[in-house]
């Protein structure tokens, strides 16, 4: 048995070791014994534990922690403490938690067991010539004792006495049964009392039934009467001195709970995301499923009437997948209509007049926008007849193979809003954009004509930013083209307005972060996350934390 193995052994293991070492001739007898003794020596866990082990040694079968405490005249808790620490040592002892009900005297019960019952005290306080009732009632047990002594027919009241009611003994002596019974219980012989007697004492709040959690302790497989402290840390000096070799180590409790971090911290992006979610929900929008970063070129581009030779569809802008390279399931009847619309047009459109290829549409990619999710949602909507107006939103990651700079990473979160209804116009779009950005605390908006392959007309949205003293582009928007909607099967007079923006930009502005790498990615300093204040989008943006504040 190679020497190394004995180091990280707990007491229990050492006990086994001892058994082993006894017949293990690789270890010199001296080493064998002193290793064992040395190990046993260092694990100190206090006299109670030792007492318990010795009692256990002497007991046949086991012992009850409460009885042991009573025998040793110590608090039950002290024995429980020893049981727990012995349990931590492994299989030195078995301890089975039991709950036993037992009768205990209440504080008043203790006092009566000591001083006698109230009625007995009243009886004893009445001299042969009697006692004025008024005086008797002033006695500490007067009130309670008088009525009990009366009902026990120990005393009587002469109401006609000269100077007012006077109390006299009726019997010469009496038995203070109450006290006797309480002392029985005190002596651990509660079972000697009948149910009636017990319940009478309980009714008088002199006795209470308590559930005592006790341990039934029995010898463990590694039982021994001597115990001692186990190392819980492997300290540098143990390693350098090599002393770790013969020190017993407490077994690792891999089930132990880690130190709970004092509180979780939401990343600023998630704080702003929940604000945007709140705004959309307030405006009656429902969230679109976006749980697929991987999308087919069909839903990401073709379904949006974005031609296959569009620059965004090449490697430079889009991350295509090598494996799985192709999307297998596509709704082919719809695909045919998209193919025709791209290649020949239709629905009043001349189309793009090029050879549309299914293989190109099958190419898998990392979605470049969540507008692909809008396309899927609108296609599902079109399958539901009759058409019902809807308001959808999405907030999720999109990926673009863009040149990285201070405000652009290869991925960002796109926020998108979509409204589908009969006869929606650009005016409706401007209206809903005003309502949306107003909830963001952005009121001054300007719309600039723009171009997107899937919307016509399209607008970039700008807002005047007080802090930055300039017009900032806060998003893009447009009316989805009929070449996108009609192949889906949406009714002629249904139009769909939509807009999009990023989550990162407003978050950077809100938290005064200029470089997106300070907000997202491996360089983020977690302190920034911890210190990032609660986000109130419609409140004035906070100045960036100054150095000394940071
Ligand atoms: O988020 C953007 N800007 C922004 C938004 C909010 C904001 O809030 C401040 C607290 C006050 C500040 C700034 N932009 C969109 C504008 C620019 O940042 C732009 O340079 C970068 N854009 C991203 C794309 O970059 C290639 C932001 C991202 C973007 C752009 C367009 C869309 C979505 C995200 C869209 C769309 C769309 C259009 C029509 C129909 C459906 C979707």
């Amino acid at each position: 048995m190679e020497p190394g193995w004995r180091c990280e052994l707990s007491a229990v293991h050492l006990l086994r070791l001892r058994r082993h070492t006894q017949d293990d001739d690789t270890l010199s007898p001296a080493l064998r014994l002193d290793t064992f003794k040395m190990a046993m020596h260092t694990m100190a866990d206090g006299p109670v534990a030792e007492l318990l082990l010795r009692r256990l040694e002497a007991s046949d079968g086991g012992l009850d922690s409460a009885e042991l405490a009573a025998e040793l005249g110590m608090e039950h808790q002290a024995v429980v403490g020893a049981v727990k620490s012995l349990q931590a040592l492994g299989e030195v002892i078995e301890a089975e938690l039991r709950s036993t009900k037992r009768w205990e005297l209440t504080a008043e019960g203790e006092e009566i067991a000591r001083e006698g019952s109230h009625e007995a005290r009243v009886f004893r306080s009445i001299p042969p010539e009697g006692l004025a009732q008024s005086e008797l009632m002033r006695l500490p047990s007067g009130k309670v004792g008088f009525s009990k002594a009366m009902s026990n027919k120990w005393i009587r009241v002469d109401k006609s006495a000269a100077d007012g009611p006077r109390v006299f003994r009726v019997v010469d002596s009496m038995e203070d049964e109450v006290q006797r019974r309480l002392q029985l219980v005190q002596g651990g012989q509660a079972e000697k009392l009948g149910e009636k007697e017990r319940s009478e004492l309980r009714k008088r709040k002199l006795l209470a039934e308590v559930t005592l959690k006790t341990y039934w302790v029995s010898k463990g497989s590694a039982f021994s009467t001597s115990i001692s402290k186990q190392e819980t840390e492997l300290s540098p000096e143990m390693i350098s001195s090599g002393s770790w070799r013969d020190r017993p180590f407490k077994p690792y409790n891999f089930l132990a709970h880690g130190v709970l971090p004092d509180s979780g911290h939401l990343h600023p992006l998630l704080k702003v995301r929940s604000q945007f979610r709140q705004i959309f929900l307030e405006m009656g929008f429902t969230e679109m499923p976006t749980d697929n970063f991987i999308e087919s070129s069909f839903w990401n581009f073709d379904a949006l009437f974005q031609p296959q030779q569009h620059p965004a569809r090449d490697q430079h802008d889009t991350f295509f997948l090598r494996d799985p390279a192709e999307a297998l399931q596509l709704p082919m009847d719809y695909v045919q209509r998209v193919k025709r619309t791209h290649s020949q047009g239709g629905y009043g459109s001349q189309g793009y007049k090029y050879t549309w290829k299914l293989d190109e549409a099958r190419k898998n990619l990392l979605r470049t926008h969540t507008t692909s999710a809008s396309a899927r949602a609108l296609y599902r909507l079109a399958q539901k007849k009759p058409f019902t107006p809807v308001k959808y939103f999405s907030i999720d990651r999109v990926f673009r193979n863009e040149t990285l700079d201070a405000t652009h990473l290869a991925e960002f979160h796109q926020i998108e809003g979509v409204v589908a209804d009969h006869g929606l116009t650009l005016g409706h779009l401007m209206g809903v954009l005003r309502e949306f950005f107003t909830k963001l605390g952005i009121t001054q908006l300007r719309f600039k004509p723009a171009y997107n392959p899937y919307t016509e007309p399209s607008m970039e949205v700008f807002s005047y930013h007080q802090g930055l003293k300039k017009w900032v582009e806060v998003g893009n928007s447009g009316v989805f083209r009929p070449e996108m909607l009609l192949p889906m099967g949406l009714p002629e007079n249904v139009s769909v307005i939509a807009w999009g923006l990023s989550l990162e930009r407003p978050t950077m502005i809100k938290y005064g972060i200029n470089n997106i790498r300070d907000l997202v990615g491996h360089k983020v300093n977690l302190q920034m996350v911890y210190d990032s204040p609660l986000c109130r989008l419609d409140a004035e943006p906070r100045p960036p934390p100054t150095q000394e504040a940071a």
Side-chain angles (χ1 to χ4, degrees), residues 45-59 62-66 68-69 72 74 76-87 92-95 215-220 223-227:
D45 205 321
V48 184
E50 301 217 7
L51 274 170
L52 189 153
L53 287 175
R54 262 203 289 288
R55 284 302 174 90
L56 200 47
E57 175 83 356
S59 76
L63 53 80
D64 175 81
S65 57
L68 178 64
L72 298 175
M74 65 175 66
H76 181 228
Q77 215 34 48
V79 174
V80 170
V83 168
K84 290 223 164 89
S85 59
L86 285 170
Q87 277 183 307
V92 175
I93 62 166
E94 300 295 332
Y215 282 94
W216 178 253
V217 184
S218 53
K219 292 178 182 163
F223 176 76
S224 118
T225 51
S226 61
I227 50 156

Side-chain angles (χ1 to χ4, degrees), residues 290-295 300-301 312-321 364-372 395-404 408-415 502 504 520:
T290 54
D291 52 350
N292 65 313
F293 289 173
I294 294 167
E295 184 57 281
N300 196 79
F301 292 124
R313 294 184 69 157
D314 66 20
Q315 308 275 355
H316 302 87
D317 280 348
T318 299
F319 297 108
F320 286 92
L321 265 68
N364 277 332
L365 44 80
L366 290 181
R367 64 175 174 219
T368 61
H369 48 199
T370 54
T371 317
S372 52
I395 306 176
D396 210 331
R397 275 174 200 238
V398 298
F399 308 85
R400 296 190 182 178
N401 186 358
E402 277 172 340
T403 44
L404 309 184
H408 284 82
L409 285 174
E411 61 182 82
F412 68 90
H413 291 77
Q414 175 167 345
I415 301 170
S502 77
E504 282 72 6
V520 204

